[in-house]
């Protein structure tokens, strides 16, 4: 479905060239993150445009990068991943300061942003590239991920059995440049306005109340 929206977006850009898009994201204040203390986590929860945008708003996250993991080919392209034949999932790599935000908090956000009971899909985005998956670096991190899944499952937020995969992280491939910060550059495209935007607003409402978001500059 996302590829359809990309084609539609291209047609709209041609027909609407010259129309100025209204910017919708405010500049976030830089936080006191210890660059020498960063840890990394990689997981997939459907379209990476939404996941990346949300995690970049979290206090304690230095940078969230869209990319691909879990496949069997090197240097995969977006077009190749979309075929489902490379085995990769759309993922986000998050660099964070554990002194500001914990692994458990990141997992809470992860399970908030997507439905972990849907197998190889998120809504109308269908395919193994949209699977729910957590990549761990070692056995200790795997155990933390399993505990976070159990906690979320027991909360009852998503009725049904979770199908989230656990896999050893072998390689993270950054996605093409145009995917990075995609939502903020293209908020008014059909897919972003209909699918990504509402998810981001729910995220901001919920975690803003919890005080987890970076403050916005005036």
């Amino acid at each position: 479905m996302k590829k359809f929206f990309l084609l539609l977006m291209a047609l709209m850009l041609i027909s609407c060239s010259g129309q100025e898009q209204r910017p919708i994201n405010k500049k976030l204040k830089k936080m006191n993150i210890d660059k020498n203390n960063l840890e990394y986590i990689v997981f997939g929860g459907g379209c990476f445009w939404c996941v990346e945008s949300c995690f970049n708003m979290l206090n304690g996250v230095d940078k969230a990068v869209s990319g691909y993991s879990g496949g069997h080919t090197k240097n995969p392209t977006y077009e190749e991943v979309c075929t489902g034949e490379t085995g990769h999932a759309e993922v986000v790599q998050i660099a964070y300061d554990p002194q500001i935000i914990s692994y458990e908090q990141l997992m809470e956000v992860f399970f908030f942003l997507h439905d972990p009971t849907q197998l190889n899909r998120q809504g109308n985005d269908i395919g193994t590239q949209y699977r729910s998956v957590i990549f761990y670096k070692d056995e200790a991190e795997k155990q933390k991920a399993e505990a976070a899944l159990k906690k979320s499952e027991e909360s009852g937020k998503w009725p049904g059995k979770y199908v989230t995969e656990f896999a050893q992280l072998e390689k993270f491939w950054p996605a093409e440049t145009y995917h990075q910060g995609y939502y903020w550059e293209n908020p008014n495209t059909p897919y972003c306005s209909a699918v990504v935007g509402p998810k981001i607003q729910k995220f901001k409402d919920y975690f803003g109340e919890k005080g987890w978001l970076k403050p916005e500059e005036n």
Side-chain angles (χ1 to χ4, degrees):
M1 182 177 181
K2 191 163 63 173
K3 291 189 73 176
F4 166 78
F5 277 111
L6 284 172
L7 292 173
L8 186 58
M9 178 192 73
L11 294 174
M12 290 182 66
L13 287 175
I14 293 173
S15 63
C16 300
S17 59
Q19 295 184 9
E20 184 177 355
Q21 275 191 338
R22 179 172 59 88
I24 64 170
N25 81 312
K26 296 181 180 180
K27 190 173 182 181
L28 301 175
K29 291 184 178 179
K30 293 183 179 180
M31 306 306 293
N32 296 321
I33 291 176
D34 184 355
K35 298 281 188 177
N36 296 317
N37 192 43
L38 294 180
E39 294 188 10
Y40 296 82
I41 184 173
V42 175
F43 41 55
C47 174
F48 47 26
W49 296 339
C50 174
V51 179
E52 177 221 288
S53 298
C54 291
F55 275 94
N56 271 319
M57 287 187 276
L58 286 173
N59 186 20
V61 170
D62 182 56
K63 189 173 184 181
V65 179
S66 292
Y68 316 108
S69 286
H72 50 76
T73 62
K74 295 182 178 180
N75 299 307
T77 65
Y78 180 68
E79 289 73 18
E80 291 170 339
V81 172
C82 282
T83 67
E85 296 178 359
T86 70
H88 292 89
E90 288 193 14
V91 300
V92 175
Q93 181 193 66
I94 297 160
Y96 68 100
D97 184 343
Q99 297 300 315
I100 301 175
I101 190 167
S102 69
Y103 181 93
E104 289 73 19
Q105 287 176 296
L106 295 173
M107 283 291 100
E108 181 177 341
V109 176
F110 171 68
F111 286 117
F112 178 91
L113 289 176
H114 80 294
D115 184 347
T117 69
Q118 293 190 347
L119 181 63
N120 296 330
R121 68 180 296 169
Q122 281 299 302
N124 291 321
D125 290 333
I126 301 172
T128 56
Q129 68 269 30
Y130 299 114
R131 65 189 182 271
S132 175
V133 56
I134 299 171
F135 291 93
Y136 56 87
K137 63 184 179 183
D138 53 32
E139 188 61 30
E141 189 170 271
K142 180 183 179 182
Q143 291 178 7
K144 289 199 297 183
E146 290 174 335
L149 183 147
K150 183 178 180 181
K151 180 179 179 181
S152 179
E153 201 167 28
E154 291 176 346
S155 74
K157 172 175 173 54
W158 300 104
K161 181 177 176 58
Y162 283 28
V163 295
T164 303
E165 294 181 13
F166 297 93
Q168 179 82 44
L169 179 64
E170 296 182 357
K171 180 69 176 181
F172 169 78
W173 303 96
E176 294 83 345
T177 302
Y178 73 91
H179 285 299
Q180 311 304 332
Y182 185 91
Y183 173 73
W184 301 117
E185 296 295 329
N186 306 277
N188 297 324
T189 57
Y191 185 88
C192 287
S193 61
V195 180
V196 182
K199 283 188 176 183
I200 289 179
Q201 190 57 55
K202 289 181 181 179
F203 161 82
K204 291 178 69 175
D205 290 344
Y206 185 78
F207 290 101
E209 286 291 326
K210 291 169 74 78
W212 290 16
L213 304 185
K214 297 172 183 173
E216 295 178 345
E217 292 185 350
N218 297 324

